[in-house]
Amino acid sequence: MTETRTTLREHEGDLVVEAVDHVAEDVVALTLVDPDGDALPPWTPGAHVDLLLGDGLVRQYSLCSDPADSRVIRVGVLRAPDSRGGSAYVHEQVTVGSTVRVRGPRNHFSFVASPRYVFVAGGIGITPLLPMMAEAEAAGADWHLWYGGRSRSSMAFVDELAAYGDRVTLVPQDESGILDLGAILGAPRADTLVYVCGPEGLLTAVEATCESGWAPGSLHLERFAAKETEAPAGGERSFELVLASSGVTLTVPPDRSVFDVIQDAGISVLGSCHEGICGTCEQLVLEGEVDHRDSVLNEAEQAANDAMMVCVSRCRSDRLVLDL
């Protein structure tokens, strides 16, 4: 399998909740099916979907079912203590038989073939790793999961993980402290890929640990929150925006995003998080030097300068041309 940023065409439709399972303290797993029993769009490990929850609520959740089962998809939803409405809606209003509008799938966390893997999960970050581990197991790869959480009761899908035996190490913080990244990642190997998902503190710590010794491209991660970015020293600047397929030329002022300017011009562009973390608004770049401010593309993908997240990223040159 080769790595791609976005491998699947966008779909949008209503699905029915077949099951709501409580898989940990404050975590439910929703199993969704087509109301007519039709096959669902194909997806690959690492993919996520948007749930359109009404009143403008759109939230992204990683798929954690079996990609080979085209009848169902499953997502795990943590009820966040500081919920802005999405997770509370799911926990309080979504029940068996509910209809939920789903958009996607899309994949910015693709699973790359390797003889060996180290998986690191923090909390609900276990969800995208579940189908990855299943694929690694099926391929005969050597792998190990290190899974940290506040407590054993808060850690989702531990019953499923038990089937993997000693390939899985659970690290409940109240019993064992935090994940020892030095021990887990302290011996870099050229034949190994590292996949990590979880809270920002964990991701930042893993990035710092892998900077020493691990080969470029070894680390793969997915963020739930946007990375902090610094504003340009001279402040924001305006630039010309050309939408090649639409035949439209616009100006992006310092106080407006590329996404907003496109929408204001009456041109359809999908968006969701508006924070540069979900990848919904990705557009192909034909010309211009992109000022990448997203948390989706890795360093190599940003350096390629052929795509951008128009909700947050801008342009360093005077002219930006998109294939839109």
Side-chain angles (χ1 to χ4, degrees), residues 7-320:
T7 59
L8 303 169
R9 183 170 62 87
E10 291 275 306
H11 295 74
E12 184 172 328
D14 292 331
L15 299 184
V16 174
V17 178
E18 182 180 70
V20 179
D21 298 308
H22 292 268
V23 292
E25 179 183 315
D26 292 327
V27 181
V28 296
L30 304 182
T31 301
L32 301 136
V33 299
D34 183 90
D36 298 320
D38 293 339
L40 300 178
W43 58 279
T44 53
H48 68 269
V49 293
D50 297 338
L51 298 191
L52 286 67
L53 301 172
D55 296 327
L57 287 175
V58 182
R59 297 292 184 266
Q60 293 76 43
Y61 296 106
S62 298
L63 296 177
C64 57
S65 45
D66 179 1
D69 186 352
S70 63
R71 192 186 71 86
V72 306
I73 58 172
R74 182 180 67 169
V75 297
V77 182
L78 167 69
R79 179 165 188 154
D82 54 350
S83 173
R84 295 175 297 169
S87 64
Y89 182 99
V90 170
H91 279 253
E92 295 172 9
Q93 300 192 45
V94 175
T95 60
V96 173
S98 294
T99 297
V100 179
R101 194 153 188 86
V102 178
R103 185 168 63 207
R106 71 183 67 89
N107 198 338
H108 294 272
F109 191 35
S110 297
F111 190 55
V112 181
S114 175
R116 188 170 183 268
Y117 300 93
V118 175
F119 297 106
V120 182
I124 197 62
I126 188 63
T127 50
L129 303 185
L130 290 174
M132 292 185 183
M133 290 182 289
E135 184 158 319
E137 184 77 1
D142 183 18
W143 64 272
H144 196 93
L145 167 69
W146 299 86
Y147 180 17
R150 296 189 320 276
S151 64
R152 197 173 294 270
S153 63
S154 74
M155 299 168 69
F157 304 109
V158 291
D159 291 342
E160 293 181 26
L161 292 171
Y164 292 122
D166 60 7
R167 286 191 182 272
V168 173
T169 299
L170 301 181
V171 187
Q173 186 172 349
D174 61 349
E175 299 175 22
S176 309
I178 63 174
L179 290 164
D180 184 350
L181 297 181
I184 296 169
L185 301 170
R189 290 182 52 162
D191 63 346
T192 303
L193 296 181
V194 178
Y195 277 83
V196 57
C197 189
E200 182 59 30
L202 173 64
L203 302 185
T204 301
V206 170
E207 285 180 314
T209 304
C210 287
E211 282 180 356
S212 176
W214 287 90
S218 299
L219 175 61
H220 301 256
L221 53 82
E222 183 171 51
R223 284 185 151 85
F224 294 146
K227 292 186 295 186
E228 291 187 9
T229 58
E230 295 183 3
E236 303 291 3
R237 53 189 295 277
S238 62
F239 53 91
E240 183 180 71
L241 173 65
V242 179
L243 307 180
S245 298
S246 303
V248 174
T249 298
L250 306 164
T251 297
V252 180
D255 60 343
R256 300 285 285 166
S257 70
V258 175
F259 180 93
D260 289 341
V261 169
I262 294 172
Q263 274 208 326
D264 290 348
I267 296 170
S268 177
V269 58
L270 285 177
S272 180
C273 72
H274 301 284
E275 296 179 349
I277 58 174
C278 74
T280 306
C281 68
E282 182 178 10
Q283 298 297 325
L284 296 178
V285 176
L286 303 180
E287 182 184 328
E289 184 184 359
V290 180
D291 179 4
H292 291 287
R293 304 183 186 183
D294 66 275
S295 302
V296 177
L297 305 179
N298 61 34
E299 290 184 4
E301 291 166 342
Q302 291 185 353
N305 202 63
D306 58 3
M308 69 181 290
M309 306 303 152
V310 294
C311 67
V312 293
S313 295
R314 297 183 67 81
C315 186
R316 292 192 176 95
S317 51
D318 295 329
R319 187 170 185 260
L320 175 67

